[in-house]
Amino acid sequence: MEREVRVRFAPSPTGPLHIGGVRTALYNYLLARKLGGKMLLRIEDTDQNRFVPGAEDYIRQSLEWCGIELDESPWNGGPHAPYRQSERKPMYLQYAQQLIDSGHAYYAFDTPEELDAMRARLTAAKVPNPQYNSITRAQMRNSLTLPAEEVKQLLESGAPYVIRLKVPRKEEVRFNDLIRGWVVVHSSSIDDKVLMKSDGMPTYHLANIVDDHLMEITHVIRGEEWLPSAPLHVLLYRYLGWEDTMPQFAHLPLLLKPDGTGKLSKRDGDRLGFPVFPLEWHGKDAETGAPTVSSGYRESGYLPEAFINFLAFLGWNPGSQQELFTMSELIEAFSIERVSKSPARFDQNKVRWYNEQYLRAKPDAELAQYLTESLQGQGVEMPTSKAEQIAALVKERATFPADLAREAQLFFQRPATYDEQVISKKWNAQVAGALKEFAGQLRATPDTSPDGIKALLTQVLETQGLKIGQVLQALRVAVTGAAAGPDLMHIMSILGAEETAERINQAVAQLPAA
RNA sequence: GGUCCGUUCGUCUAGGGGUUAGGACUGCAGAUUUUCAUUCUGCCAACAGGGGUUCGAUUCCCCUACGGACUACCA
């Protein structure tokens, strides 16, 4: 019988989620929806030292903004609650115990100093791979080397201990990665990983396997940084007796820093000149504790649809020529096999391009709504119909919503200065006279559509013996102050006859007509 | 150092034993726009290197180089 597809995104609340994490969440979500399965979110907070207040809420808000919906999570519950590992703490020890009972794990009492000394000794002896393993464990203080009686005493006396996995000395561990194919690792390169820490918390490795099993996860989609520990996880499934329901693995390629090399990290933030976080993050400097702010895509004016579309294409493509995908189209087109193996770097230009595409595709009414709200902030009121006209006119010139408001300024502010280049070249007494005449007639014309205004202008200029090319730049500067901008006829039409005429007259009065 | 993963235009990528190696972003040029932007058209631009296998390799195999990840009682 086919099992229901269940995937999980399992972030650690140690700070803001960066876009690599968002992409991992996205691919999980796409696969779940594509296959009619469930998307879970589990908080992996087994390291109490790294807990960052607000991080969990940040994760929730980020996913919400992106439109990544969760079927089960700490916030909306589910059949396998709780979904925070810290709240699942009592569940893990029994599985570690099971491994000890079956001889696949053991107690270790080594102090951090003893561990350091061991590594130093191995390094000094030029051992290629210093680790706590099948060889070195014989020299350490653990339940394999200590007499049973002493182990019992230590445990009873409350001495700190960890539980380590007893990794076999010679064994090939293999698994079939959905993206990379067969990955084979020799057990000699895996060390005896700590499963239970001395504080009673499981490590990632144990908690991850136990929870994925209990939560009936079918596909583990995570970053490539987990690839080296995947064989360890396979071993864990095997020793716990869960190999037959072990999830399939898919290790995603890394997201690289746009500059230089290396994987994108949270620290890269504003150093790169563009956000690496979905939402703005208010944090603290690790050393000084001073407040820090890292910019977010949302606050920078990116539309979530554009952000998601861009992110989806960083490491995946549908194999067609289509570039623009809504979330539901992504779901339809997604398949894990089409995720690429090689890492991807950011392209700032492309995110911007995506944003422009999505911005322009928005209905004018929606853009007008934004425009109205943002101009209200500066005390400007306008009717909806006018906002829509402006939005339609300026959206081709905008990358971000904020550009709309900026471009719209000319409608609410008369020119304070006039472009000098144009004035020196195009402004003269004859032109000024013609424009004054045009302004006068404009006030009387019944047709203030862009075409109507153009017709009127042509007609006035004809009587003045001027060609349109001789005055249009001057007219633009008279009306807007600037040498460049949206179509002038539309500007004048939206401005209305009265306002346009007044602006022209103001320019004629102020500019010396040599 | 060790283990593992990777390598097609500047970037994201398609492709795959015989192709003019395709698209998108950027850049450049032209057209339209009396302007800037948009739009349209065109151009520049890639199979890391060396060995095999083969009639033929960018495609399959090996090696090298380069890049990356991991190498904690962090996830």
Side-chain angles (χ1 to χ4, degrees), chain A residues 91-229:
Chain A
M91 310 172 67
Y92 302 109
L93 184 60
Q94 59 174 303
Y95 297 103
Q97 189 62 51
Q98 181 188 330
L99 290 169
I100 287 179
D101 295 345
S102 62
H104 290 299
Y106 57 92
Y107 298 105
F109 302 96
D110 314 278
T111 64
E113 293 72 29
E114 286 168 332
L115 291 171
D116 287 345
M118 180 266 283
R119 290 192 193 99
R121 199 170 65 239
L122 260 32
T123 308
K126 297 209 165 42
V127 172
N129 192 17
Q131 56 183 15
Y132 203 121
N133 61 15
S134 61
I135 313 285
T136 50
R137 71 167 81 105
Q139 269 78 50
M140 306 302 287
R141 298 180 58 240
N142 53 53
S143 59
L144 265 19
T145 59
L146 266 21
E149 194 53 32
E150 190 179 343
V151 171
K152 192 160 176 264
Q153 270 176 16
L154 279 167
L155 291 176
E156 280 168 1
S157 71
Y161 69 91
V162 300
I163 297 176
R164 285 181 182 272
L165 183 68
K166 191 177 167 192
V167 176
R169 186 200 283 247
K170 290 196 282 190
E171 198 175 305
E172 293 224 309
V173 185
R174 61 179 65 218
F175 67 97
N176 195 206
D177 189 278
L178 257 13
I179 295 171
R180 291 152 207 282
W182 284 101
V183 176
V184 185
V185 176
H186 196 91
S187 63
S188 63
S189 67
I190 305 172
D191 63 351
D192 286 1
K193 281 273 183 294
V194 170
L195 265 21
M196 292 296 294
K197 298 186 267 189
S198 56
D199 65 0
M201 275 293 215
T203 59
Y204 168 82
H205 301 293
L206 209 223
N208 171 267
I209 269 62
V210 168
D211 286 342
D212 282 349
H213 172 74
L214 263 21
M215 294 179 178
E216 302 176 78
I217 298 301
T218 56
H219 303 258
V220 169
I221 303 171
R222 77 233 295 195
E224 188 185 327
E225 66 268 30
W226 295 109
L227 195 49
S229 52

Side-chain angles (χ1 to χ4, degrees), chain A residues 473-494:
Chain A
Q473 275 294 79
L475 178 55
R476 171 181 294 283
V477 171
V479 175
T480 70
D487 182 83
L488 187 52
M489 302 307 150
H490 280 86
I491 291 176
M492 293 190 291
S493 178
I494 293 170

